[in-house]
């Protein structure tokens, strides 16, 4: 237990009046649960100011003695009980959490946290879509001994339309897990030039430690899902595209997975809303944007590197997806 961090969090969990927040932010009502409205919370907010928080990983504390309505996020939320206990309700479940337990809530999962008292501290860690690439999360699917939990974690974190409700981890106060959480919080509230990358690596370490706990004691993880195996399979397909974008073809990919090419094309379109070629373009252009920002390689060389033999075609595709030319993109982001 880190008393210094706990004191800092105490200062950031003051009472919030939902009516005043609702009047100010005017969130959309997207559904109802037993007559209660479900709100769309699609922006992470700073604790005190309620201004939008633009960071890819952001942290807030659950306000004390405050009503929080049912809501959904377009990001993954990790909730950690550092002191006391709390109750979380989803559309179909009531989850009672104790100190040092962690829940990972999937995108668009309806939930709310019941009012907490002054003896409880709950930390909310928001993970936006762009924070991890599929390659960053690939390790989650490599543990064959804990395939169910690791696949569930992968699906929660990587899918843009996750149907997984939550993963709840009963950590039994495992010291490494608790210390990692405190390290993340410390880096967030006392940042320097290295903090964002350190936080990202610490969060990935936390995922691995949670999977390890589940693999040693399967009864310590509670996973609730509303998905089919096909929705996990789509993540494997997207990961393949991310790894092989330079020289990928639909026929090669179909042969690799043992699919008919036409079936694979239809499956990708149905599951993602994008055609195969558009998924490849998106991956290539994202990688090209990184090269433009972080290297001085020529644009023609970058075009070839990401899989475009025709540089003029690369310019056309890049502008279509990024809204600007490669040279203007480089000028803007290298300057920043």
């Amino acid at each position: 237990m880190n008393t210094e961090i706990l004191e800092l969090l105490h200062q950031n969990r003051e009472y919030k009046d939902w009516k005043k927040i609702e009047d100010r932010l005017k969130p959309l009502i997207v559904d109802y649960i037993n007559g209660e409205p479900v709100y769309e919370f699609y922006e992470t907010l700073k604790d005190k100011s309620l201004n939008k928080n633009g960071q890819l990983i952001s942290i807030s504390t659950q306000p004390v003695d405050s009503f929080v309505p049912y809501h959904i996020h377009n990001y993954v939320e990790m909730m950690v009980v550092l002191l006391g206990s709390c109750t979380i309700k989803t559309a179909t479940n009531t989850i009672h959490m104790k100190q040092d337990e962690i829940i990972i809530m999937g995108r668009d999962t309806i939930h709310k946290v019941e009012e907490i008292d002054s003896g409880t501290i709950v930390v909310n860690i928001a993970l936006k879509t762009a924070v991890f690439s599929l390659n960053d999360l690939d390790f989650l699917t490599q543990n064959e001994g804990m395939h169910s939990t690791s696949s569930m974690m992968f699906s929660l974190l990587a899918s843009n339309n996750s149907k997984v409700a939550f993963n709840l981890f009963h950590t039994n106060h495992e010291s490494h897990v608790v210390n990692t959480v405190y390290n993340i919080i410390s880096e967030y509230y006392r940042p320097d030039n290295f903090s964002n990358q350190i936080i990202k690596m610490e969060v990935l370490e936390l995922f691995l430690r949670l999977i390890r706990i589940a693999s040693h004691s399967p009864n310590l993880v509670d996973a609730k899902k509303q998905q089919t195996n096909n929705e996990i399979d789509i993540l494997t397909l997207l990961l393949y595209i991310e790894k092989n974008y330079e020289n990928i073809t639909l026929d090669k990919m179909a042969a690799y997975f043992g699919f008919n090419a036409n079936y694979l094309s239809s499956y990708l379109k149905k599951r993602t809303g994008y055609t195969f070629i558009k998924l490849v373009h998106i991956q290539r252009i994202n990688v090209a944007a990184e090269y433009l920002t972080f290297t001085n390689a020529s644009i023609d060389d970058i075009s070839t590197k990401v899989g475009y033999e025709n540089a003029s075609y690369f310019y056309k595709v890049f502008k279509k997806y990024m809204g600007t030319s490669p040279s203007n993109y480089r000028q803007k982001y290298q300057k920043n």
Side-chain angles (χ1 to χ4, degrees):
M1 184 181 298
N2 188 318
T3 55
E4 189 177 359
I5 293 297
L6 290 176
E7 179 57 34
L8 185 154
L9 295 173
H10 267 292
Q11 300 168 13
N12 285 285
R13 60 180 198 134
E14 58 197 31
Y15 167 80
K16 288 185 173 62
D17 187 328
W18 164 245
K19 286 299 181 184
K20 291 182 179 179
I21 294 173
E22 184 181 19
D23 289 342
R24 176 178 169 183
L25 301 181
K26 297 179 172 57
L28 294 176
I29 296 176
V30 294
D31 204 345
Y32 286 88
I33 301 295
N34 298 324
E36 293 186 48
V38 177
Y39 293 89
E40 182 182 83
F41 290 175
Y42 273 14
E43 296 286 350
T44 54
L45 304 175
K46 296 181 179 179
D47 274 325
K48 293 184 178 180
S49 67
L50 296 184
N51 293 324
K52 295 178 181 179
N53 191 327
Q55 292 177 261
L56 294 177
I57 298 178
S58 58
I59 296 177
S60 61
T61 47
Q62 193 71 18
V64 68
D65 297 325
S66 302
F67 169 76
V68 177
Y70 281 113
H71 59 279
I72 59 173
H73 303 301
N74 61 343
Y75 51 86
V76 171
E77 185 175 43
M78 181 185 308
M79 288 176 270
V80 187
V81 181
L82 290 180
L83 275 183
S85 61
C86 75
T87 298
I88 297 173
K89 288 189 174 181
T90 70
T92 56
N93 299 94
T94 298
I95 308 147
H96 301 289
M97 295 181 62
K98 298 177 291 186
Q99 183 174 331
D100 297 332
E101 292 185 340
I102 297 174
I103 192 168
I104 302 177
M105 195 70 64
R107 296 182 186 90
D108 294 322
T109 299
I110 296 172
H111 67 285
K112 69 174 181 177
V113 181
E114 299 282 75
E115 292 185 24
I116 62 170
D117 58 31
S118 58
T120 298
I121 296 180
V122 178
V123 172
N124 306 312
I125 304 175
L127 308 172
K128 293 186 179 178
T129 303
V131 66
F132 299 120
S133 71
L134 294 177
N135 277 329
D136 289 330
L137 301 173
D138 187 26
F139 69 89
L140 293 179
T141 62
Q142 304 307 310
N143 189 339
E144 295 181 2
M146 197 54 199
H147 181 74
S148 176
T149 300
S150 59
S151 293
M152 183 75 68
M153 290 272 282
F154 182 87
S155 185
L156 275 168
L157 297 160
S159 175
N160 286 328
N161 186 25
S162 177
K163 298 300 183 183
V164 179
F166 60 84
N167 265 175
L168 173 62
F169 293 88
H170 311 283
T171 66
N172 280 352
H173 316 289
E174 207 279 340
S175 60
H176 291 296
V177 170
V178 176
N179 290 337
T180 302
V181 171
Y182 278 115
N183 289 342
I184 293 168
I185 296 170
S186 179
E187 288 290 342
Y188 183 83
Y189 283 107
R190 295 163 183 165
D192 60 23
N193 292 336
F194 302 95
S195 290
N196 285 339
Q197 285 301 313
I198 290 174
I199 290 171
K200 179 176 174 178
M201 298 306 295
E202 294 271 12
V203 170
L204 288 172
E205 177 185 341
L206 181 58
F207 295 155
L208 278 177
R209 292 194 178 280
L210 293 176
I211 291 173
R212 173 196 271 179
I213 288 173
S215 67
H216 290 168
S217 303
N219 61 316
L220 295 183
V221 61
D222 187 6
K224 300 293 183 185
K225 62 179 180 177
Q226 301 169 354
Q227 76 171 56
T228 68
N229 288 334
N230 284 339
E231 289 172 21
I232 294 177
D233 291 342
I234 189 63
L235 301 175
T236 303
L237 298 176
L238 293 176
L239 183 57
Y240 180 89
I241 294 173
E242 184 163 310
K243 286 183 173 181
N244 298 279
Y245 64 89
E246 294 176 43
N247 54 13
I248 193 173
T249 68
L250 180 62
D251 287 339
K252 284 183 181 178
M253 184 174 176
Y256 181 87
F257 288 101
F259 291 150
N260 174 276
N262 290 333
Y263 170 79
L264 176 60
S265 178
S266 298
Y267 184 83
L268 288 169
K269 175 69 173 177
K270 178 181 179 181
R271 292 292 176 180
T272 68
Y274 298 124
T275 63
F276 167 78
I277 191 61
K278 187 168 185 178
L279 290 169
V280 174
H281 281 320
I282 290 170
Q283 178 58 25
R284 287 177 173 176
I285 295 306
N286 283 338
V287 174
E290 291 185 3
Y291 282 129
L292 290 167
T293 302
F294 298 112
T295 78
N296 291 318
S298 72
I299 294 176
D300 285 357
D301 286 346
I302 292 173
S303 169
T304 302
K305 175 67 177 174
V306 300
Y308 294 103
E309 295 180 2
N310 186 321
S312 62
Y313 182 60
F314 167 69
Y315 277 72
K316 179 181 178 181
V317 174
F318 190 95
K319 188 168 184 178
K320 176 182 178 181
Y321 284 94
M322 305 304 283
T324 188
S325 69
S327 57
N328 287 341
Y329 185 93
R330 166 172 273 171
Q331 183 178 16
K332 176 181 178 180
Y333 287 96
Q334 282 199 346
K335 181 179 179 181
N336 288 339

